[in-house]
Amino acid sequence: MRGYDATMATSPIAVPADPAPLAALLEAARAELPGVRLLTDEVDRESYRRDETAYLDAGLPGAVALPGTTADVAGLLRLASRHGVAVVPRGAGTGLSGGAAGIEGALTIALTRMDRILEIDRANLCVVTQPGVINATLKAAAAAEGLFYAPDPASYETCSIGGNLGTNAGGLCCVKYGQTRDAVLGLEVVLADGTVIRTGGRNVKDVAGYSLTHLFVGSQGTLGIITEATLRLRPAPGPRSTLLAFFADLDAAGEAVAGMTAAGLVPVTLELLDRETIAAVEDWHHLGLDTTAEAMLMVESDAPGAGAADEITRAEAACIAAGSHAVVRAADPQEADWLRQARRLALRALERQGTVRLEDVGVPRAAVPALLRAIARIAAAHGVRCATFGHAGDGNLHPNLIFAPDDPAAAELTHRVRDEIFRAALDLGGTVTAEHGIGAARREWLPIQRGDAAVAVMRSIKAALDPLGILNPGRVL
Ligand SMILES: Cc1cc2nc3c(=O)[nH]c(=O)nc-3n(C[C@H](O)[C@H](O)[C@H](O)COP(=O)(O)OP(=O)(O)OC[C@H]3O[C@@H](n4cnc5c(N)ncnc54)[C@H](O)[C@@H]3O)c2cc1C
């Protein structure tokens, strides 16, 4: 059997030496897997080249397969193993690490057709779903039953549950409800050789053997393809109370975040926008935000009954104690929805200003002020325009480097600034990626952050589950 060339795994745009294995796979798939839709036209394949990490080089898939069932996925992976063809699992393609970007000549398997919610199980507070369901669709279906699906990436209207599981997505609710991993009870996964396994089910507690569920979540399609998930639902929380606090300096906003954490507040949302981001959002949405402020915090509480107003009052006190010069509460739930939506669109607002390279560093929460200072210092030292927003309550900030679209120095400057920001985050005990993933964009930093011994363990897990190295080669490891 001809395995996938291991040297290809070092480059996100590796070119397979020989197109014959893919041709053989496609011929067999047409004969054996009539339910699989295959795209081979160049125009169709082109639209699967990139995810949202547009600045990364990406390869043109040799073909794209759209399976309709778990059996289709198993059949495709059996053929990929037999013919030694690399496979890129893909959801909605909104990822920000190059994890779903094409590999030249490889097979992209897009799970978008597997888009059915199979069951909402009220008695067990869970939902069984296929991976192609859009996060917002799942939320709406749960809400229609008076239930709540918590994971809430800002891209929730476009990203898929499979992609959320693949990246262990975070978002705007993690302070209180955790990342996607915290909402997963069990998975159905197709392994590289086509074997189908189940890792859990509807049990709230289940400690039989190693936690394979948690191993697959966040593995970015390098260990298996998730074809079904059983996800935790919660009773729907009450309406949210929302606070905006404006600060004359970034440091004070960071201190307010640290103050709220130290005071034991667990708001559902604790987001930060710096001056550049506030201006970009205001320029687009005209919400009346204070564009003279250096920073804004958005705090939301969904505590039951009077608890929400109480939590927001305590958050307000922490903001004022840290130096906030203006605090405003949303007048009603609709205004709160507008504000949340505007925050979700912060990246799009910045993209109207130039080419944006978004990063995803995280630190222990008490170190948020120090990380904010470091980002501002590094950007200023290199003369790079930087807008920072993010999930400050989780210690997760997104510095966005903004360049003119034709700036010839952009690529090199991005690398230098990014490396210094990564180093600063690590020096603060943080991470080079809090929620977007290593993917293809940050691979060289994995051993620096985790150490060679930990990466060797990861490699042995990869080798055990995917001995031919066909699953998303060159991503993560
Ligand atoms: C405007 C904007 C805002 C965003 N906000 C957030 C945010 O707040 N928080 C956050 O965490 N992310 C955010 N993201 C990033 C992105 O939306 C998330 O990473 C999301 O989880 C990706 O989902 P997707 O369906 O687009 O996956 P894709 O991009 O298609 O894939 C992501 C990764 O998962 C793997 N994968 C996909 N499906 C499967 C499967 N079925 N089985 C195994 N692996 C699979 C892929 O191989 C890839 O490595 C944002 C992106 C944008 C553009």
Side-chain angles (χ1 to χ4, degrees):
M1 181 188 312
R2 186 181 357 209
Y4 195 71
D5 178 357
T7 58
M8 292 171 51
T10 59
S11 165
I13 53 165
V15 180
D18 180 4
L22 179 66
L25 179 153
L26 293 176
E27 193 185 329
R30 285 189 188 101
E32 296 170 29
L33 303 170
V36 175
R37 209 172 287 160
L38 292 171
L39 306 179
T40 51
D41 278 3
E42 188 170 339
V43 176
D44 292 334
R45 288 183 285 132
E46 192 59 55
S47 56
Y48 291 83
R49 183 192 284 271
R50 298 186 185 283
D51 62 4
E52 286 272 351
T53 328
Y55 52 81
L56 270 188
D57 286 336
L60 179 64
V64 177
L66 300 161
T69 63
T70 299
D72 285 346
V73 177
L76 285 166
L77 287 184
R78 259 195 310 276
L79 292 176
S81 282
R82 187 188 304 159
H83 297 285
V85 172
V87 165
V88 177
R90 184 175 172 110
T94 69
L96 289 165
S97 72
I103 292 177
E104 190 74 27
L107 177 71
T108 288
I109 299 183
L111 282 301
T112 42
R113 278 180 66 217
M114 294 180 65
D115 64 351
R116 282 186 305 125
I117 296 172
L118 301 174
E119 183 187 353
I120 292 186
D121 179 350
R122 290 188 63 87
N124 289 305
L125 280 181
C126 64
V127 54
V128 184
T129 183
Q130 291 188 320
V133 171
I134 297 298
N135 178 301
T137 307
L138 191 68
K139 273 187 190 301
E145 299 281 330
L147 299 171
F148 177 53
Y149 177 64
D152 188 30
S155 52
Y156 82 120
E157 285 169 313
T158 48
C159 63
S160 72
I161 294 298
N164 294 170
L165 293 162
T167 54
N168 188 19
L172 279 73
C173 280
C174 300
V175 196
K176 184 162 182 176
Y177 296 116
Q179 280 176 274
T180 299
R181 180 174 286 144
D182 298 296
V184 187
L185 293 171
L187 299 173
E188 178 187 80
V189 183
V190 183
L191 303 180
D193 66 358
T195 304
V196 181
I197 63 165
R198 285 193 171 267
T199 68
R202 300 179 196 212
N203 295 312
V204 172
K205 297 169 75 177
D206 181 350
V207 295
Y210 300 141
S211 177
L212 297 181
T213 304
H214 290 152
L215 179 63
F216 285 108
V217 176
S219 65
Q220 297 204 267
T222 60
L223 300 180
I225 297 187
I226 297 163
T227 46
E228 190 185 293
T230 304
L231 305 171
R232 187 189 298 266
L233 298 176
R234 298 167 182 272
R240 293 186 185 187
S241 293
T242 304
L243 174 81
L244 300 186
F246 295 90
F247 298 82
D249 79 272
L250 207 50
D251 228 22
E255 295 298 345
V257 172
M260 278 183 253
T261 308
L265 297 185
V266 191
V268 62
T269 304
L270 178 39
E271 296 287 309
L272 177 142
L273 281 69
D274 75 351
R275 185 194 183 99
E276 288 266 12
T277 315
I278 297 169
V281 169
E282 184 58 28
D283 186 50
W284 195 11
H285 297 289
H286 312 292
L287 294 163
L289 303 178
D290 176 358
T291 51
T292 66
E294 284 298 323
M296 177 187 110
L297 291 180
M298 177 176 168
V299 192
E300 291 189 300
S301 174
D302 67 355
D310 178 53
E311 192 165 36
I312 287 300
T313 300
R314 292 174 66 203
E316 187 176 305
C319 290
I320 291 169
S324 169
H325 61 269
V327 286
V328 193
R329 295 192 187 203
D332 51 43
Q334 190 183 33
E335 190 175 86
D337 285 347
W338 286 338
L339 292 168
R340 199 177 314 114
Q341 191 61 0
R343 156 58 192 95
R344 284 183 171 128
L345 292 169
L347 173 59
R348 299 300 184 217
L350 291 169
E351 284 172 342
R352 295 168 80 234
Q353 320 255 323
T355 300
V356 175
R357 175 146 193 179
L358 178 146
E359 280 307 336
D360 176 41
V361 282
V363 288
R365 284 174 281 195
V368 166
L371 182 61
L372 283 166
R373 276 195 295 275
I375 292 168
R377 177 178 42 74
I378 293 163
H382 290 278
V384 171
R385 190 172 161 206
C386 178
T388 299
F389 64 83
H391 318 295
D394 312 328
N396 178 195
L397 296 178
H398 299 309
N400 294 266
L401 309 183
I402 306 171
F403 297 97
D406 52 358
D407 185 342
E412 203 219 318
L413 261 177
T414 298
H415 254 94
R416 260 194 277 151
V417 173
R418 183 188 90 142
D419 286 1
E420 287 183 33
I421 291 176
F422 283 2
R423 175 53 63 198
L426 294 184
D427 288 347
L428 291 166
T431 174
V432 299
T433 175
E435 59 177 18
H436 295 162
I438 289 287
R442 307 176 179 93
R443 284 177 311 166
E444 69 275 26
W445 281 86
L446 184 64
I448 299 170
Q449 177 172 335
R450 293 278 184 235
D452 290 340
V455 173
V457 174
M458 294 183 202
R459 284 193 188 284
S460 57
I461 292 169
K462 168 78 175 168
L465 290 176
D466 180 18
L468 296 174
I470 61 163
L471 281 173
N472 227 353
R475 274 73 202 261
V476 183
L477 295 173

